[in-house]
Amino acid sequence: MKRVAKPVFFIVALLILFLTYTATFGIKGQNGDNSNTYIKGVSDIRWGIDINGGVEATFSPATSTKATKEQIDSAKSIIEVRMTSKHITDYELYTDYDHDRIIVRFPWKNDETTFDPEGAIQELSATAMLTFREGGEYTTTENGSDGQPVYKTPKGTTADSIILQGSDIKSAKAEMSQDQTSGTSKYLVGLELNDSGTEKFAEATERLQGKVISIWMDDVMISSPTVNAVITDGKCTIEGNFTAAEASALANKITAGALPFKLTTTNFSTISPLLGASSLHAMLIAGCIAFAIICIFMLFVFRLPGFVAIIALLGQIALSFAAVSGYFPFVNSFTMTLPGIAGIILSIGMGVDANIITASRIKEELWAGKTLDGAIQKGDDNSFWAIFDGNITVIIVALILMGVFGPTNILSMIFGPSTTGSIYSFGYTLLIGIIGNFVFGVTATRLMTKSLSGFKFARSKWLYGGAAK
C-alpha cells in the first residue's frame, strides 16, 4: 500500500470541521449598526412553503382589454424566470385563460419577519419596462424618500421617441466603478445589447451627440446622460446614484424581462405551513439523536474506521446544507422543502453505507490473514466499485428528476407544478449528497484512514476490526 503522510489526517479533518462549522453557523460581522454576512449558514436557508409558509397571489392585467393566451403565457413565463433567477423552486404557478388570471404561490424569504404578503408580491408583479428615450422631458416631479427629485411620466418627444426597449437587452449586471476625481465608489448597471439593440443604439448615439438620451423604468426617469460619443459595441451603463442593493435589483428586473402588460393584484393571502417551526425544531433534535446513534454504532462495530467515517459524514452533511444556503458564491441559495430534506437524509444513508462497505471489506481482509497495510489497500479496492455502482445509479436518477421535474419540466401537465417543484428539490439535494459521498465518504475517508495507519498507536489490527493481539 502506498503510504499517505501522517499530517494528511489532521489537514483533512480540520478542513472538514471548518466546513461543518461555517456551513452550520456561517460567518457574520458587525459594521456599526449593520450586520454583514460573509458566509451563509443554516439560518440563511430559505425554507419552502410546506415548512415556513408563504404567499398566494392572483394577478390580472391592468387593462379592460381581454388578454390573449400568448400574452398570459408570456407573463407566466417571465414570472417563472423571476422565481428561478432567485433559485426558488418551491412555487406553484397556474393560469386561468377564461378569466385572465395568473395564480402563484411561493415561500417567504428566509429573513422575512413582518410576513407582509403585499410587500412580498411587489417585486414579482413589477413591470420593469425599461426604455431608452430621446430627450428628457417629463410631466411631473415628486420628492423621493431621500429628498431628491423624482421625474415621472415622459412627454413630448421623449414620450414619442423610444430608442431601445427591454427586448433589446441581452444581459444586465450590477457593477461598481471608482470615481477618478473624488476616489469614491459608485454602483451602476452594465448592459450588453443584442444585435438589433446594438444597431439601434449606434444610430441613436451618432444622431444625438451632445444631446440627452434618458433612461426610464416604467414611467420613472432613472438616468439622463448626455451622449458624448458614438457607442457601436453594444455596451453601455445606467447610472443613477444607486446603492449596491438597488443596482442589483434593477439588473435582476431587466434580466428577468418586461411583462407584456401591467399587472394588478386582485387577491393575496398568506399560506400556513404544513410543518411549523416547532415541528422543524423537533425534526432537528430527532436528526441529532439519530446521528449520535449512528456514531455510536460505527465506533462500536468498526472502531477506528468508524471514527473516520463520522468525520466524513459531518463533511457530507455540511456540504448538503452549504449547497442549499448559498454558502458558495458560485452556487445560488436554494429553497429547502420537506422532499429536499428527504433527499439529504437518503444521501446520508448512502454515505453511511459507503463507509460500512469499506470498513467491512478491510475487516474481512484482516481476518483472512492480510497485513494491516495490505488489508486497507485491498479493502479500498474491493469496495470502490460496489460503492461506485450504487452511487452512480442514484446520480443518474437525481439528474433525471431534476431534468424532467425542474423549472423547465415537461410533465407539469400530468403531475402539476406543486409536485414537479417538490420532486426537483428532492433530486437536487439527493444529487449534492451523493457528490458529497464521493468527496468525503470515499476520497476523504481513504486518505484519513491510510494517514492514521502510519501512526504507531494505530497499527493494531483490533482497531480496524481484526483479532486482538
Side-chain angles (χ1 to χ4, degrees), residues 60-67 100 261-262 264:
S60 297
T63 174
S64 57
T65 306
K66 183 174 177 58
D100 288 354
F261 39 66
K262 184 176 178 63
T264 60

Side-chain angles (χ1 to χ4, degrees), residues 404-434:
V404 175
F405 295 97
T408 56
N409 66 79
I410 60 175
L411 293 182
S412 60
M413 290 201 298
I414 300 175
F415 296 100
S418 175
T419 304
T420 54
S422 297
I423 294 176
Y424 177 80
S425 178
F426 173 78
Y428 176 81
T429 54
L430 181 60
L431 175 65
I432 296 299
I434 297 303

Side-chain angles (χ1 to χ4, degrees), residues 2 89 92 139 169 193 207 219 263 285 341 397:
K2 185 178 180 180
T89 58
E92 302 172 34
T139 303
I169 309 298
L193 308 178
R207 177 170 55 86
D219 65 343
L263 288 176
I285 294 174
I341 293 175
V397 170

Side-chain angles (χ1 to χ4, degrees), residues 98-128:
D98 294 333
H99 300 91
D100 288 354
R101 295 187 303 180
I102 300 174
I103 301 101
V104 60
R105 297 179 183 135
F106 58 95
W108 296 109
K109 291 182 180 179
N110 59 306
D111 57 351
E112 188 74 54
T113 56
T114 59
F115 297 105
D116 176 18
E118 188 172 7
I121 63 176
Q122 186 175 0
E123 61 180 323
L124 267 189
S125 59
T127 52

Side-chain angles (χ1 to χ4, degrees), residues 80-96:
E80 190 167 25
V81 167
R82 292 180 181 181
M83 288 286 193
T84 54
S85 68
K86 298 177 183 298
H87 229 64
I88 302 172
T89 58
D90 181 38
Y91 66 86
E92 302 172 34
L93 194 57
Y94 310 94
T95 53
D96 182 350

